[in-house]
């Protein structure tokens, strides 16, 4: 039997589809044992089964602190370590204009995109600090550096994810822990909900700047795998656009 105790472990949230699925598969190819975390248990189990014996499926609502603690506990019980955390799970808003955004939508987007990222980071950090090593990769967005790429809830949440990234990087720069973020441009995923026509009309000019080119989830995942690797050992606090140059304009 092969000893896998020294094989690194990557936890990927939102791994049941889209960019998260590509990340889970990418880390597996890079030699990691992978925790496929998703709110949809069936999707998580399907992807873990496709990856193979070194993948663990965990159903978790990352906006729930108890569910997050359970995810971390199950990972440590199964694998004994956490080397990489990819805070990837997220939802889009409807791109409604600020006054048309419901409190319910605001709370749901902030709870998942921002609070979920905080909860996972908070839960995993003690284990990384104990080992003196760890890499966190957050999925932010072009909306995290722009005011016109999404609705107010999604925009605020992704600006917040960038803030979390920079704060963790600064706070733990001397502890062997790195925290970076990717900013996906338009990508072929299933995240889009029903959009608000008035909001889309107002946001259309900036959205259309790069809509002629759609990335694949694998292109996003490749950057995340790199940022978590030893090849990026001196990269910390970086906010990396993966957008074919959209943010350069």
């Amino acid at each position: 039997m092969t000893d896998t105790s020294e094989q690194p472990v990557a936890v990927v949230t939102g791994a049941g589809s889209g960019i998260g699925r590509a990340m889970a598969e990418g880390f597996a190819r890079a030699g990691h044992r992978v925790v496929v975390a998703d709110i949809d248990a069936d999707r998580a189990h399907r992807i873990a089964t496709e990856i193979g014996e070194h993948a663990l499926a965990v159903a978790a609502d990352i906006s729930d602190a108890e569910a997050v603690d359970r995810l971390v506990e199950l990972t440590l019980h199964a694998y004994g370590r956490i080397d990489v955390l990819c805070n990837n799970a997220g939802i889009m808003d409807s791109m409604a204009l600020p006054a048309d955004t419901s409190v319910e939508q605001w709370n749901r987007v902030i709870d998942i995109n921002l609070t979920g990222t905080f909860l996972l980071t908070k839960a995993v950090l003690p284990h990384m600090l104990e080992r003196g090593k760890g890499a966190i990769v957050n999925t932010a967005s072009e909306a995290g550096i722009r005011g016109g790429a999404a609705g107010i809830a999604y925009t605020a949440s992704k600006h917040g994810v960038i803030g979390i990234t920079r704060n963790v990087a600064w706070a733990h720069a001397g502890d062997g822990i790195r925290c970076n973020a990717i900013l996906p441009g338009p990508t072929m995923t299933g995240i889009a909900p029903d959009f608000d026509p008035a909001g889309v009309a107002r946001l259309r000019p900036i959205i259309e700047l790069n809509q002629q080119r759609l990335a694949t989830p694998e292109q996003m995942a490749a950057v995340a795998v790199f940022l978590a690797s030893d090849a990026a050992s001196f990269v910390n606090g970086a906010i990396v656009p993966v957008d074919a140059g959209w943010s350069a304009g």
Side-chain angles (χ1 to χ4, degrees):
M1 180 180 294
T2 302
D3 181 12
T4 61
S5 61
E6 294 305 312
Q7 188 177 355
V9 174
V11 176
V12 182
T13 65
S17 62
I19 293 172
R21 173 179 181 170
M23 285 178 176
E25 294 169 343
F27 279 105
R29 286 192 298 271
H32 291 64
R33 291 173 288 174
V34 180
V35 176
V36 179
D38 198 275
I39 195 169
D40 187 315
D42 291 338
R43 289 194 307 197
H45 283 285
R46 184 174 69 252
I47 302 308
T49 299
E50 292 174 0
I51 290 173
E53 62 176 323
H54 298 311
L56 171 69
V58 179
D61 176 354
I62 63 165
S63 68
D64 182 333
E66 292 184 1
V68 166
D69 289 341
R70 177 176 174 272
L71 166 59
V72 172
E73 290 170 6
L74 288 172
T75 300
L76 293 173
H77 177 74
Y79 295 142
R81 58 193 288 173
I82 298 174
D83 300 89
V84 177
L85 169 63
C86 282
N87 283 310
N88 170 75
I91 61 171
M92 190 68 183
D93 62 19
S94 65
M95 292 195 180
L97 294 170
D100 298 326
T101 300
S102 68
V103 173
E104 290 76 17
Q105 181 172 137
W106 170 272
N107 287 338
R108 175 168 161 74
V109 172
I110 295 296
D111 284 350
I112 294 173
N113 294 3
L114 186 56
T115 302
T117 296
F118 162 71
L119 290 175
L120 255 298
T121 301
K122 177 178 169 59
V124 166
L125 273 173
H127 307 284
M128 290 184 171
L129 288 167
E130 184 177 354
R131 298 185 67 239
K133 183 179 182 181
I136 300 171
V137 181
N138 296 324
T139 300
S141 169
E142 280 287 325
I145 58 171
R146 296 180 181 273
I152 190 170
Y154 189 81
T155 299
S157 73
K158 293 303 184 177
H159 273 71
V161 169
I162 289 175
I164 287 175
T165 301
R166 287 175 167 155
N167 181 264
V168 172
W170 175 256
H172 295 294
D175 299 320
I177 296 169
R178 297 182 299 106
C179 186
N180 297 291
I182 64 170
L183 278 61
T187 307
M188 292 181 286
T189 71
I191 193 173
D194 293 330
F195 289 133
D196 179 88
V200 171
R202 180 68 183 90
L203 299 170
R204 182 171 289 115
I206 196 167
I207 295 171
E208 289 182 346
L209 286 176
N210 204 35
Q211 284 289 13
Q212 71 274 16
R213 296 188 64 185
L214 293 179
T216 65
E218 289 73 22
Q219 287 173 304
M220 302 297 144
V223 180
V225 172
F226 165 72
L227 289 172
S229 74
D230 290 341
S233 61
F234 214 62
V235 181
N236 191 25
I239 309 302
V240 184
V242 190
D243 63 5
W246 188 21
S247 59

